[in-house]
Amino acid sequence: MTSSQPLRRTFTKGVGEGAAGIALATGSHGPATAESTDGAIPLNAGGRSEKGGDRGLRLHRFDQWTGNTTPVRQISDEFDWGFVHIDGKGRLFYCTDGADRGTGRFPKGGGCRVFTYRGDPADGCLTEFGRRNSFGSNPTMVWVDPTGDYVTCFIHTTPGLFCRPERLADGGYRIVPQSAGVSLVLFPRDRDGKLADPLHNVTYPLGDMPSFLHSCVWEPRGRYFVVADKGKCKLYTYTVDHAAKALKPLAHLDLPTGTAPRQLRFHPGKAWLFLNHESANKVIAVHADEHGNMATINEVGPCPRRGRAGFRPAATSRSRA
């Protein structure tokens, strides 16, 4: 299993009583952390204060036979865990801190951070290995590229966005955002897996809505990644240009306004991508070719009270470079 196929189990923020991420570090390389003879395995759980929980990172023991979880110790109470990407080969955990720490002014590099932890193979405990400012507010995901040389950070939004009111023809008003924050940040990794200063970032034109990048997934063969933009209702494909040490855009796919595309998953063996939405009760199937071009295949809505949901062809929609 390569770094582009992380050994992870992730719960979205707000699960349970403020729990934001849970990582069971086991996989095809064998356990990334120790497993006891009684079937208990280490479980590292992160909390997020946004949903009323306690922020920080805690080590537990998870009993595979009974499903019981026992607290062991608190590793950190410093950050609001948002997402974890586990590089199984290096036993490194890359975690997003989704809460701004600025007081009165936006600090250099942004108020949020990306933490790197190393897993102890003996007891499963995580030890901080490094940290970097995210250069954008509320990072939602971090992902190691298939070569292991880079980590891309995906930014949801910037708080305190400057806006202006705009008068409508019917006499009403709409609020128009006035500034765009950084959406994508490319970090290099050294041989030990530590993040260095960012090499490249991407900011999208503001338009009527800012970009709210929420999720990303690498194409199974590692040729490019797809990212969902909840704000602009688009999918983007990118690859890493190793010669230029920069992110290279490939194509984008427009989706219906207001649907807020959220989570992405590739079929493991075919050129199919599946997408759900935050503001639309449907799942869309997308064809993605070897060059990153995308086209919608069909969509399915909620199941009716009787029988199965019916698939219907979606309006023709193709990506544009």
Side-chain angles (χ1 to χ4, degrees), residues 3-6 8 83 85 140-146 152-154 184 213-229 235-240 250 262-268 270-276 284 286 288-289 292 294:
S3 60
S4 63
Q5 299 169 305
R8 64 171 176 81
F83 177 81
H85 176 96
T140 50
M141 281 193 174
V142 284
W143 213 268
V144 180
D145 88 308
T152 305
C153 182
F154 304 87
L184 289 169
L213 301 190
H214 194 274
S215 63
C216 160
V217 63
W218 274 89
E219 182 260 348
R221 296 178 66 178
R223 292 174 291 195
Y224 57 84
F225 63 81
V226 186
V227 59
D229 187 338
L235 299 183
Y236 304 100
T237 52
Y238 281 85
T239 190
V240 178
L250 300 178
R262 186 176 175 94
Q263 296 289 353
L264 300 161
R265 289 295 182 270
F266 262 104
H267 187 283
K270 298 184 181 295
W272 298 339
L273 181 71
F274 302 97
L275 168 71
N276 71 1
I284 291 179
V286 175
D289 69 17
M294 297 170 287

Side-chain angles (χ1 to χ4, degrees), residues 8-312:
R8 64 171 176 81
R9 302 290 186 271
T10 300
F11 293 169
T12 56
K13 60 185 180 182
V15 172
E17 298 179 359
I22 295 181
L24 303 179
T26 59
S28 61
H29 279 298
T33 52
E35 180 174 349
S36 65
T37 56
D38 62 0
I41 59 175
L43 182 150
N44 287 284
R48 190 179 179 98
S49 58
E50 176 191 27
K51 300 296 183 180
D54 295 325
R55 72 185 188 206
L57 181 61
R58 296 164 184 82
L59 174 66
H60 300 72
R61 301 293 290 178
F62 175 73
D63 190 318
Q64 300 177 85
W65 313 122
T66 66
N68 294 329
T69 301
T70 305
V72 177
R73 61 177 162 302
Q74 182 157 340
I75 299 171
S76 171
D77 62 357
E78 186 177 354
F79 67 96
D80 282 275
W81 177 303
F83 177 81
V84 57
H85 176 96
I86 303 178
D87 178 0
K89 184 176 180 180
R91 294 195 175 97
L92 297 177
F93 291 59
Y94 294 93
C95 312
T96 59
D97 172 23
D100 284 300
R101 308 299 178 205
T103 54
R105 57 183 297 185
F106 204 58
K108 181 180 179 181
C112 299
R113 295 163 293 183
V114 177
F115 285 79
T116 306
Y117 282 85
R118 186 182 294 280
D120 186 336
D123 63 3
C125 189
L126 301 183
T127 302
E128 186 179 332
F129 186 56
R131 62 176 71 184
R132 286 282 173 179
N133 286 345
S134 63
F135 285 81
S137 179
N138 194 4
T140 50
M141 281 193 174
V142 284
W143 213 268
V144 180
D145 88 308
T147 68
D149 294 334
Y150 300 98
V151 170
T152 305
C153 182
F154 304 87
I155 307 298
H156 187 275
T157 186
T158 301
L161 189 68
F162 290 103
C163 300
R164 66 176 174 82
E166 183 179 276
R167 191 71 177 264
L168 301 176
D170 62 3
Y173 288 88
R174 69 169 182 163
I175 302 300
V176 181
Q178 291 297 288
S179 63
V182 172
S183 294
L184 289 169
V185 184
L186 182 68
F187 291 95
R189 292 204 311 172
D190 66 17
R191 291 184 177 182
D192 295 326
K194 285 186 177 180
L195 303 187
D197 290 336
L199 295 171
H200 186 219
N201 66 72
V202 175
T203 299
Y204 296 111
L206 191 59
D208 291 336
M209 282 291 292
S211 286
F212 301 145
L213 301 190
H214 194 274
S215 63
C216 160
V217 63
W218 274 89
E219 182 260 348
R221 296 178 66 178
R223 292 174 291 195
Y224 57 84
F225 63 81
V226 186
V227 59
D229 187 338
K230 283 173 30 181
K232 294 186 179 298
C233 295
K234 296 178 184 289
L235 299 183
Y236 304 100
T237 52
Y238 281 85
T239 190
V240 178
D241 186 332
H242 288 260
K245 297 181 179 180
L247 294 166
K248 179 182 178 180
L250 300 178
H252 73 269
L253 177 67
D254 294 317
L255 298 169
T257 301
T259 55
R262 186 176 175 94
Q263 296 289 353
L264 300 161
R265 289 295 182 270
F266 262 104
H267 187 283
K270 298 184 181 295
W272 298 339
L273 181 71
F274 302 97
L275 168 71
N276 71 1
H277 300 75
E278 186 170 305
S279 301
N281 198 5
K282 61 182 178 181
V283 174
I284 291 179
V286 175
H287 178 267
D289 69 17
E290 66 271 23
H291 303 295
N293 298 309
M294 297 170 287
T296 53
I297 301 172
N298 61 359
E299 65 181 47
V300 60
C303 293
R305 291 185 177 182
R306 295 181 181 178
R308 299 176 60 188
F311 285 85
R312 63 180 184 277

